[in-house]
Amino acid sequence: MPAINDPTNSTAPAAVPFIDLVAQYQNIKGEVRAAVDQVFETQHFILGEEVDQLEAEIADYCDARFAIGCASGTDALVLSLLGLGIGPGDEVITSPFTFFATAGAIHRVGARPKFVDIDPVTYNLDPQQVEDAIDENTKAIMPVHIFGQCADMETLWRLSVRNNIPLIEDACQAIGAEYRGRRAGVLGTVGCFSFFPTKNLGGAGDGGMITTDDAELATRLKRLRVHGDVGGYNHVEVGFNSRLDSLQAAILRVKLRHLEDWSEGRRQNARRYSELFRSMNLLSSIDPPVTAADQRHVFNQYTLRIRGGMRDSVMEYMRREGVGCAVYYPIPLHMQKCFDYLGYSPADFPESSRAADEVLSLPIFSELTDEQLVRVATVLGEAASSATALKFPAGGVAQRNAA
């Protein structure tokens, strides 16, 4: 008799992947292949008409005056910093609870990341702590719209205007997210997006985009992405190579037509999780994500908290049962070895460290079936009950690394 988890056993529950890009592709396969074939027919692979069209369509989608394609979300951040004249001796306030590229881009232009802690509910920057951190060296604020929900942008914008410093949106996880009716990418001086394949709008490789309403800045960003060339090999400043290729643009143009449906699918899945967690009495063990008032959350990740120091045990149980899950992010940036020179201690940002120990992201892609959603919730409940019964010790990855 086959074991319960034996894939040959037809009665065993099917695995639920953390993300399923194949399922998405099967629904748009014909459109994507036609778009790619058209690029091969023209043999125009770098920038060109496809990129121009994508830039116009992203600008329209975000309600921005300009959009500038580039090679990755990381490059979008670096180009934005360079375009705003930020470099050595400058400080940029940002979050320690985000993907590495946010602070890495600041370091790469020679500036200094200045971390402040997060709001424990939204995981976004705490505006009061941003205000307290601003000094004469602060040359920009870089909020991260983490997991697909915008930061408190009105408060941050007021700080930006009052102190005459630009506001750079790291919207790499948040295309289509809205704050009081306005979309991510037009809530600051400049917005940065990533088209990494697992993003809500993902390409077949790396790609990025910058949005802005500033015509002069847009012109400079377009120049910087091609080595500072204004045409005819006339380089008026030193930029670097960060061009978006036509194949990526063609694929992204196809996917952009479906983005609203996919975003709504993610939001529906999030609502279904909430229903299931309530009906299964899981809210004593977990804290589901909260959508702030007047916001549209697009759930690049569905990230909840596991209480009682049980996160790692719950994650291990779920993975054994074939349910995909992941931790974003297990080590806050102020605890990364490469940022030792900043002089932070593990205790400096307690909410970021606590989040690193407690958060767990569940499958949220729009193609999930209700059967899969029920399976995820059921296994999560089993995992939480098992971890509680076995009394796993408190303390997760971040605390262990701090020891």
Side-chain angles (χ1 to χ4, degrees):
M1 177 180 293
I4 188 67
N5 289 323
D6 187 333
T8 64
N9 181 4
S10 61
T11 63
V16 182
F18 183 65
I19 190 166
D20 189 352
L21 295 177
V22 174
Q24 181 190 82
Y25 175 63
Q26 291 303 321
N27 291 330
I28 58 171
K29 185 175 182 178
E31 295 175 80
V32 169
R33 291 204 168 184
V36 169
D37 285 347
Q38 179 60 33
V39 173
F40 274 103
E41 288 296 324
T42 65
Q43 291 291 294
H44 296 159
F45 294 116
I46 301 296
L47 296 176
E49 184 177 352
E50 288 290 347
V51 173
D52 290 343
Q53 290 294 322
L54 177 65
E55 290 174 338
E57 289 163 8
I58 292 291
D60 182 68
Y61 181 80
C62 294
D63 195 27
R65 290 183 64 199
F66 307 100
I68 302 95
C70 58
S72 69
T74 301
D75 279 6
L77 295 168
V78 172
L79 283 165
S80 296
L81 290 161
L82 291 174
L84 290 165
I86 295 168
D90 298 335
E91 292 183 345
V92 178
I93 295 174
T94 194
S95 170
F97 187 68
T98 179
F99 180 60
F100 182 82
T102 307
I106 297 167
H107 174 93
R108 183 52 56 201
V109 301
R112 182 183 181 92
K114 189 172 187 179
F115 298 125
V116 302
D117 214 353
I118 59 171
D119 176 273
V121 176
T122 66
Y123 308 108
N124 280 315
L125 277 180
D126 179 343
Q128 182 58 59
Q129 296 193 48
V130 173
E131 182 173 15
D132 294 341
I134 293 173
D135 61 25
E136 66 277 6
N137 296 315
T138 305
K139 295 300 185 287
I141 304 169
M142 187 184 284
V144 182
H145 302 325
I146 197 77
F147 304 140
Q149 177 164 223
C150 293
D152 182 355
M153 292 302 291
E154 181 178 358
T155 307
L156 293 173
W157 178 254
R158 290 180 184 277
L159 291 174
S160 168
V161 172
R162 188 184 311 149
N163 292 279
N164 194 31
I165 52 177
L167 190 58
I168 303 170
E169 294 177 74
D170 182 341
C172 289
Q173 300 181 18
I175 191 165
E178 294 179 5
Y179 178 89
R180 300 183 182 177
R182 299 203 72 201
R183 286 201 168 147
V186 293
L187 302 171
T189 312
V190 63
C192 302
F193 296 95
S194 168
F195 300 133
F196 187 79
T198 58
K199 295 294 192 291
N200 292 28
L201 179 62
D206 277 316
M209 189 72 69
I210 308 166
T211 52
T212 185
D213 287 338
D214 185 323
E216 184 177 348
L217 178 59
T219 297
R220 188 176 189 201
L221 291 169
K222 287 188 175 183
R223 184 169 70 230
L224 284 168
R225 72 178 175 181
V226 289
H227 300 288
D229 187 4
V230 294
Y233 298 99
N234 181 16
H235 300 264
V236 297
E237 62 181 322
V238 178
F240 61 100
N241 179 12
S242 184
R243 300 171 298 199
L244 183 63
D245 70 67
S246 299
L247 284 170
Q248 295 302 333
I251 293 166
L252 289 164
R253 291 185 66 203
V254 169
K255 289 190 169 188
L256 182 60
R257 298 197 291 265
H258 300 271
L259 179 59
E260 282 298 292
D261 289 339
W262 293 339
S263 294
E264 185 54 34
R266 287 171 179 263
R267 287 160 54 79
Q268 290 177 3
N269 290 342
R271 289 192 288 268
R272 180 59 171 147
Y273 273 140
S274 295
E275 294 171 358
L276 291 167
F277 297 155
R278 282 195 298 270
S279 67
M280 295 177 180
N281 297 316
L282 293 181
L283 298 183
S284 61
S285 302
I286 66 170
D287 293 317
V290 173
T291 300
D294 300 324
Q295 295 228 30
R296 182 196 193 217
H297 198 320
V298 293
F299 292 99
N300 178 245
Q301 302 296 346
Y302 182 92
T303 301
L304 46 75
R305 287 184 187 267
I306 308 293
R307 298 187 203 148
M310 302 186 301
R311 193 274 310 280
D312 291 355
S313 302
V314 167
M315 177 172 61
E316 290 164 8
Y317 182 101
M318 294 184 73
R319 287 176 172 175
R320 286 198 304 270
E321 291 298 310
V323 173
C325 53
V327 174
Y328 299 101
Y329 296 90
I331 306 174
L333 297 186
H334 71 290
M335 293 170 59
Q336 297 286 350
K337 178 66 176 174
C338 62
F339 289 135
D340 281 353
Y341 74 94
L342 296 174
Y344 292 114
S345 72
D348 281 342
F349 308 111
E351 291 299 344
S352 295
S353 293
R354 185 166 73 91
D357 281 346
E358 295 180 347
V359 296
L360 187 67
S361 296
L362 305 182
I364 192 64
F365 57 94
S366 63
E367 293 81 11
L368 282 165
T369 65
D370 194 66
E371 181 182 11
Q372 289 175 313
L373 291 164
V374 171
R375 172 68 179 160
V376 173
T378 300
V379 173
L380 175 62
E382 294 171 355
S385 296
S386 174
T388 301
L390 293 174
K391 296 180 180 179
F392 282 94
V397 174
Q399 290 181 1
R400 289 199 299 271
N401 281 320

